[in-house]
Amino acid sequence: MIREAIFHLPYDGGCFPIAEDRVTVRLRAARGDLARCEVVYGDRFCHPPVDQVQEMVKIGHDQLFDYYQAELSGHRLRYAFVLHDHRETLWYTAAGLTTERPQEVNLHFHYQHVHRRDIFTAPDWLADAIFYEIFPERFANGDPRNDPPGTVPWSTHSRPAPFGFYGGDLQGIIERLPYLEELGVNALWLTPIFTSPSNHKYDTVDYFSVDPHFGDLATLQELIRRCHDRGIRVVLDGVFNHTATSFAPWQDVVAHGASSRYASWFKVESFPIRTDPKSYETFAFTPLMPKLNCDNPEVRQLIMEVARYWLHTADVDGWRLDVAEGCDHDLWRDFRRTVKAIKPDAIILGEIWQEAQRWLRGDQWDSVMNYQLYHAIVDFFATGAIGAETFRARLTRLQTAYPDPVQNGLVNVIGSHDTPRIREYTRGDTRRSGLAAIFLFTYRGVPMIYYGDEVGMMGSHDPDCRRPMPWNEEEWDHPTLTLYRRLIALRRQHAVFRRGDVRVIWSDAASNGLGFLRWYQDEVAIVVFNNSRAPRRISLSGRDLPFPVGELRDVLGQRSVDQDGASIRIELEPFSAAILLGNRDGG
Amino acid sequence: MIREAIFHLPYDGGCFPIAEDRVTVRLRAARGDLARCEVVYGDRFCHPPVDQVQEMVKIGHDQLFDYYQAELSGHRLRYAFVLHDHRETLWYTAAGLTTERPQEVNLHFHYQHVHRRDIFTAPDWLADAIFYEIFPERFANGDPRNDPPGTVPWSTHSRPAPFGFYGGDLQGIIERLPYLEELGVNALWLTPIFTSPSNHKYDTVDYFSVDPHFGDLATLQELIRRCHDRGIRVVLDGVFNHTATSFAPWQDVVAHGASSRYASWFKVESFPIRTDPKSYETFAFTPLMPKLNCDNPEVRQLIMEVARYWLHTADVDGWRLDVAEGCDHDLWRDFRRTVKAIKPDAIILGEIWQEAQRWLRGDQWDSVMNYQLYHAIVDFFATGAIGAETFRARLTRLQTAYPDPVQNGLVNVIGSHDTPRIREYTRGDTRRSGLAAIFLFTYRGVPMIYYGDEVGMMGSHDPDCRRPMPWNEEEWDHPTLTLYRRLIALRRQHAVFRRGDVRVIWSDAASNGLGFLRWYQDEVAIVVFNNSRAPRRISLSGRDLPFPVGELRDVLGQRSVDQDGASIRIELEPFSAAILLGNRDGG
């Protein structure tokens, strides 16, 4: 046995409660190394021990490792792994790898006690959400009277200037709600809408007012009311890491230096305030965004007030948190208590670009923007920087990084206002951006569309990715829009995509192909990708599937599926995918 | 390179801030596999990246792995490991092992932002504490008037009955404070003292009164005042997992079943209450201890009130939490806020018998009873169940399980009211129990003495380990007491034992020997054990040490130390140890 490969983390993605009497455990071993493995477990207070034995199931692999999982019954558990290869059997506990069972029960792994409050739970609607990200200055101009001075004509072909304006506003969103409803999305994330000098408004001047170029409180209230009437939820963007330089407390610090009553609201290295070189901490390195000192009690209070105010005043459905690592964990716990006390099903969605275990333990956020998956999708489908085996490895890493209850609520994107657009990465190739979209809507997690991706918008790095939305339908890529509408409808119709488990069942380096299975209750979906330039005959054997499936139909391309007993064959054109739906055999 | 062995956890024991601009990272690789490794890191917002390179230091090994560590400067870090063996160089990031540096900075590991509140911090005095655990019913009888009916004569030779009483009380502790002061301890943990029918009082009837057999509020206040006058802190035991059956709310549930207003205070499976088979959840399986439902808001409020009451009323210095897994994490966070708001330097010490990462992230407890180390010490020194290499592996596992700021505050024991006594495990061999004590007082973490171990008390499993403390000095093992006094004095005199870093520098399977280095500022201690039946000449070479040390003296045995340049030789009798003190060379 390759002993160095054996690994178990007895918390987070390695061991987590899924119900008050159910705990999932995961184990890693070297790829292809184990003949089988099982968990020997029981109530931790039973002396002598009374054992249950649960066979572990292989849930994935990457180039180096196999990953196993099992569900255990009970709420106060001790457990040990028993690993078998063809030559030996080893016990794996906190005492390491041993040939004998450790007699001391305290050296076994434990999940000491399951508590309801320790089970990760996000609002139920999150898993059903299909999000649409709107950058309000560029989505639609509904009220030209509030256009900022110097507003330039609305044109998809113009390249946005860093500080330019096109006149988009909340009234524009209201007017385009029929478009969004027809598209099928049921949740909006608006990038910041509070008063701010910039077009992106990530530099807040007043956290308690709607930017006058976007409308006013009444416009926001009307927008949200109309959204709610249509079953569309609205999440706002909270920028608590930093402010604008025109934020009054910062202006006071600039004017009065160390004697300002706001001096400790920011992270000032030395007074008086200088900008070159800057004498204060900022977002990244921009002097225009002084960093708030989130350790300051008044700043913490301000953040809670902002959270409360918009929940109360506009009935918003949650907060997306910008540069969310800029505040400490204690603040986010307080934020959660504050938000949930007012609206228990409001969501909290943090922006972290790496794995976010520290924030996803149930005490802070409901979800994170899943940029680690984003990079994997772009690298595999859009740029081709990685092949199928590496893509599979990245998926597997994310699959085992978080507890299962987290997974269906992770917010997946294939582009945002902070990235080049997906179609820019494919250099206009809508086959490849289409594959990314098919993956987005069928894989586990909540899909979020960046406005305009559905009509094939192009755009490179910020600010180019923030071009005005084309409303002249002649500028749309209609096949892309058709694809998005079908994918959205499919996801809304089939809980298997929203609630199902997932397993990568096939990958193929030669053809750069990948396939995954999803299942929920009796429903089954198999999604297979030919991510290569050549036509490809995909062949899945029954051994690739954890259980038998009944007759499958291709709901995307209406291709015929050649099913013969357990084996499934389907022809895929270059850079194409099939979405096969069916039921578990006998289901 | 043995790729399967490479591992990094980007949080908890793998990556943690130690100051607002310092972050420690750890890496695991196969034993002896790497020629060297380094961390390439920088500010995560620098584009293009500006790199710093930090060589990693090997801090330990076990049978399978080497463990490396490095300290990084900065407060918003991206980092990648660069691993070299004699044939290849690999990058290790969230993208896995790659031959090239991942260009996408988001795929490197990140510690996104250091915040003051996210740095684990325990009250400063904890690291300096030398704890003494008192089981009040058995420590000293200061007031025979409050002896329970049926109290039996105070005799160390009697075997305690499960439900018997000897008459120990708080007045007894007050009278023995000179003994404790002379011994040198500076912190007491009293097992429960609130009203309860049992001798151990782990089944509370009234959380707000001192058990009348132990004294009253005035006695407790006097005890704590006298302790504080002597610089001794007092920690009480909070039993919030369960109560006594005579706890009034439980009696109400027994009487009124589902209609009791306390019905949801407990975890009742069915009404009416039955005890055989029991129809309610309990501690372990004992019907005498119904489990509190810590999810109930009134129960949560009760727990906070208890915490507050004794801090306010008796000025206690902290809480030890019994069966601490019985309440959820959210409750412990609330408990921390409650306690620290009243007395910021009160400590919170949880009882968890396994690794306790989930509770030691700075948001819940200051420390845990380090029973994982306990088992390692007993297995190595007392019973000989494991050899030096396995002991080293267990130490290394614990060393890398927690962030460094946690380590100096972990409460280490070699016995408690819940275990057989250390000398019972050695079958009376005070050489071996002495080695365990030497380890306890010189290794990293806070030593806690179980009352009477210092005079060589014997006692098997509970209740035998709870015999009355002998106050007839003729019953004492005086060499053991002398050893304890010297070890306590050494620890109090030398910050290196209380504040120092630690590294295991030597182990030897043949002689079952182990040695570790501790260092703090200029001070250095080397502790070496001959844990075998034969005399042993220990020989350390300069290569075993991370830096040169000056002249060493043996402060325990006054043996001569044969130092020749970098090499150190010392003769050790069977089952003996040397504690060598000195300074870093030139220090």
Side-chain angles (χ1 to χ4, degrees), chain A residues 162-233:
Chain A
F163 298 98
F165 291 92
Y166 288 85
D169 52 29
L170 300 186
Q171 186 58 39
I173 303 174
I174 291 172
E175 290 172 7
R176 297 301 178 176
L177 285 179
Y179 168 83
L180 295 170
E181 193 173 23
E182 194 188 341
L183 182 61
V185 301
N186 58 17
L188 305 183
W189 160 35
L190 311 185
T191 59
I193 59 166
F194 308 136
T195 303
S196 155
S198 64
N199 53 48
H200 52 69
K201 311 220 176 291
Y202 277 103
D203 44 350
T204 313
V205 172
D206 178 4
Y207 288 96
F208 297 98
S209 66
V210 173
D211 190 285
H213 300 308
F214 281 2
D216 58 17
L217 175 60
T219 336
L220 178 65
Q221 287 171 326
E222 187 190 347
L223 167 61
I224 293 179
R225 194 168 54 243
R226 290 199 185 197
C227 282
H228 287 178
D229 289 346
R230 288 171 156 82
I232 295 174
R233 287 184 166 83

Side-chain angles (χ1 to χ4, degrees), chain A residues 488-544:
Chain A
I488 292 167
L490 260 181
R491 192 169 177 103
R492 294 190 70 148
Q493 285 157 18
H494 299 280
V496 68
F497 298 115
R498 308 188 308 267
R499 304 275 170 172
D501 207 336
V502 71
R503 196 164 302 166
V504 176
I505 52 171
W506 172 78
S507 59
D508 179 61
S511 67
N512 212 23
L514 185 112
F516 59 81
L517 169 75
R518 303 208 59 189
W519 71 97
Y520 181 68
Q521 295 168 351
D522 275 346
E523 202 173 16
V524 164
I526 293 176
V527 186
V528 284
F529 296 87
N530 172 13
N531 190 27
S532 77
R533 295 171 200 287
R536 167 87 188 153
R537 182 178 171 81
I538 305 290
S539 185
L540 302 174
S541 91
R543 282 177 299 122
D544 296 325

Side-chain angles (χ1 to χ4, degrees), chain B residues 532-546:
Chain B
S532 76
R533 296 171 199 286
R536 168 86 189 155
R537 180 180 172 81
I538 305 289
S539 185
L540 301 174
S541 90
R543 280 178 299 123
D544 297 324
L545 301 172

Side-chain angles (χ1 to χ4, degrees), chain A residues 128-131 179-186 437-438 440-442 447 449 454 480-498 523 553 555-556 558 579 581:
Chain A
D128 292 330
I130 294 168
F131 260 101
Y179 168 83
L180 295 170
E181 193 173 23
E182 194 188 341
L183 182 61
V185 301
N186 58 17
I438 292 167
L440 177 71
F441 284 98
T442 56
I449 304 162
E454 77 278 15
T480 294
L481 183 57
T482 302
L483 176 66
Y484 270 72
R485 286 193 173 135
R486 289 174 67 182
L487 291 168
I488 292 167
L490 260 181
R491 192 169 177 103
R492 294 190 70 148
Q493 285 157 18
H494 299 280
V496 68
F497 298 115
R498 308 188 308 267
E523 202 173 16
R553 62 191 189 284
V555 290
L556 192 63
Q558 276 82 41
I579 303 175
L581 270 178

Side-chain angles (χ1 to χ4, degrees), chain A residues 2-13 20 28 30-31 43-47 64-65 75-76 92-97 104-118 241 267 278 281-285 291 294-297 300 323-331 333 337 352-355 357-359 361 363 372 375-376 379 390 394 397 401 425, chain B residues 2-13 20 28 30-31 43-47 64-65 75-76 92-97 104-118 241 267 278 281-285 291 294-297 300 323-331 333 337 352-355 357-359 361 363 372 375-376 379 390 394 397 401 425:
Chain A
I2 301 176
R3 287 168 160 71
E4 288 86 351
I6 310 299
F7 182 72
H8 170 64
L9 188 71
Y11 54 89
D12 284 350
E20 286 188 65
R28 203 190 70 179
R31 177 145 182 211
D43 187 296
R44 46 196 296 271
F45 289 102
C46 270
H47 301 297
L64 294 174
F65 303 109
H75 72 289
R76 43 188 210 185
Y92 176 43
T93 62
L97 292 165
E104 175 52 61
V105 72
N106 290 314
L107 295 182
H108 289 222
F109 294 115
H110 288 235
Y111 192 89
Q112 289 87 355
H113 203 109
V114 179
H115 297 283
R116 185 185 63 84
R117 293 181 198 235
D118 292 338
N241 178 69
K267 307 275 268 187
K278 65 185 173 57
E281 201 176 318
T282 63
F283 168 68
F285 297 100
K291 172 144 184 28
C294 297
D295 204 21
N296 178 286
R300 295 169 92 88
V323 194
E325 74 272 15
C327 302
D328 58 61
H329 293 299
D330 186 54
L331 188 148
R333 288 191 194 102
R337 280 189 297 273
I352 288 288
W353 287 63
Q354 291 75 38
E355 289 179 14
Q357 288 93 337
R358 290 195 280 139
W359 295 271
R361 292 177 176 140
D363 55 325
Q372 288 289 300
H375 284 297
D379 290 351
T390 301
R394 298 255 201 104
R397 181 178 174 106
Y425 274 123
Chain B
I2 300 176
R3 287 169 160 71
E4 288 86 352
I6 310 297
F7 182 71
H8 170 66
L9 188 72
Y11 53 89
D12 284 349
E20 286 189 63
R28 203 191 71 180
R31 177 147 182 211
D43 186 294
R44 44 195 298 269
F45 289 103
C46 270
H47 301 296
L64 293 175
F65 303 109
H75 72 289
R76 44 187 208 187
Y92 177 42
T93 62
L97 292 165
E104 175 53 61
V105 72
N106 290 314
L107 296 181
H108 290 222
F109 294 114
H110 287 234
Y111 193 90
Q112 289 86 355
H113 203 108
V114 179
H115 297 284
R116 183 185 64 85
R117 291 181 199 234
D118 292 338
N241 178 70
K267 310 273 270 186
K278 66 185 173 59
E281 201 175 318
T282 62
F283 167 68
F285 297 99
K291 173 148 182 26
C294 297
D295 203 23
N296 177 287
R300 296 169 92 88
V323 194
E325 73 273 14
C327 302
D328 59 59
H329 293 298
D330 186 52
L331 188 148
R333 287 191 194 102
R337 279 188 297 274
I352 289 289
W353 287 63
Q354 291 74 39
E355 289 180 13
Q357 288 92 340
R358 291 195 279 139
W359 295 271
R361 292 177 174 139
D363 55 326
Q372 287 290 300
H375 284 298
D379 290 352
T390 300
R394 299 255 201 105
R397 183 180 172 106
Y425 274 123

Side-chain angles (χ1 to χ4, degrees), chain A residues 20-70:
Chain A
E20 286 188 65
D21 60 351
R22 302 291 287 169
V23 173
T24 296
V25 294
R26 293 182 179 140
L27 175 82
R28 203 190 70 179
R31 177 145 182 211
D33 196 36
L34 300 188
R36 62 188 186 84
C37 60
E38 61 215 10
V39 191
V40 174
Y41 74 101
D43 187 296
R44 46 196 296 271
F45 289 102
C46 270
H47 301 297
V50 176
D51 287 337
Q52 289 183 266
V53 179
Q54 179 66 48
E55 191 77 18
M56 299 198 81
V57 173
K58 197 161 111 177
I59 57 160
H61 73 253
D62 57 26
Q63 295 98 330
L64 294 174
F65 303 109
D66 287 331
Y67 299 85
Y68 293 86
Q69 182 165 309

